[in-house]
Amino acid sequence: MSSRIDLRLSPSVSAGLIATLPWLALLAFALTAAAGTRPWMLALAPVAGAGAILHYRRFGLLRGKRSVTGLALEAGKLQAILPGREAIPVQPCRASRLGPMLTLLKLRPTGSRLGAYYLILLAPEPWPGGNVCPDQFRRLRQWLRLGQSQLSN
C-alpha cells in the first residue's frame, strides 16, 4: 500500500458554518448583554459579524491568503497546499482534534514557531456538505493517529 495521500478540500457551507459558531456565540452574548443594562456591549456586534464573515470565507469558501485547499503526504512528509503558492511543509500540532466525521487540524510550518494553518475537515457521509474525499480522509486520520512518531506543540 502506498503511503501517498492527496487530500483536496472543496468549498463547503457546513464547514463555513462550523467556523462561524464562536463568532455567532459572541454576537448572541453581546446582543443579550446589550438588551439588559449594558448597551455598550453593542460595540462587539460589528467585530463578531466581521469575524463570522472572514471565517466563513476562509474555511467554508476556501478563499483568502491563509486558506488551505489541500494536504499532501509523500514519503512521510505532510504539506499544506495554499491557493496560488507552492506547497508548504507542515507538522500537525497536539491541539488538533481527530474524529471520524469532523477533524480540526492545526498545522505549523516545519522549522517555524510562528504562525499556524487551521483546517476543518468534514466527512461527506453523515452530513451533506462534507469537504473531503472519504477514502483520503480516512487514510489521513490513520496516518495522523498511527504514523506520527511525535506531534509538535
Side-chain angles (χ1 to χ4, degrees):
M1 184 169 127
S2 171
S3 65
R4 180 161 169 69
I5 296 173
D6 187 21
L7 181 72
R8 299 293 174 186
L9 277 71
S10 58
S12 168
V13 171
S14 299
L17 291 175
I18 289 171
T20 62
L21 286 176
W23 295 104
L24 295 176
L26 176 63
L27 180 62
F29 170 75
L31 294 176
T32 303
T37 60
R38 296 176 178 88
W40 55 269
M41 292 292 282
L42 282 177
L44 290 177
V47 173
I53 291 168
L54 290 174
H55 276 77
Y56 185 82
R57 273 182 49 84
R58 183 173 168 192
F59 296 104
L61 301 177
L62 301 177
R63 294 191 182 141
K65 291 180 182 179
R66 298 197 49 88
S67 294
V68 178
T69 58
L71 293 173
L73 175 71
E74 191 168 348
K77 307 264 189 215
L78 187 63
Q79 297 181 341
I81 300 165
L82 304 169
R85 291 197 271 177
E86 293 182 17
I88 297 172
V90 292
Q91 294 177 331
C93 297
R94 285 185 217 151
S96 298
R97 298 293 173 245
L98 304 175
M101 296 174 273
L102 172 67
T103 295
L104 306 172
L105 286 180
K106 178 181 180 182
L107 304 172
R108 182 153 305 184
T110 304
S112 173
R113 301 288 292 161
L114 301 174
Y117 296 97
Y118 297 91
L119 279 89
I120 297 174
L121 305 175
L122 282 174
E125 292 300 318
W127 301 317
N131 63 350
V132 294
C133 168
D135 183 50
Q136 295 294 321
F137 181 49
R138 180 186 54 79
R139 292 178 67 200
L140 176 69
R141 283 182 306 144
Q142 285 178 338
W143 180 80
L144 289 169
R145 284 193 176 128
L146 306 174
Q148 287 288 105
S149 59
Q150 185 168 356
L151 293 177
S152 66
N153 194 7

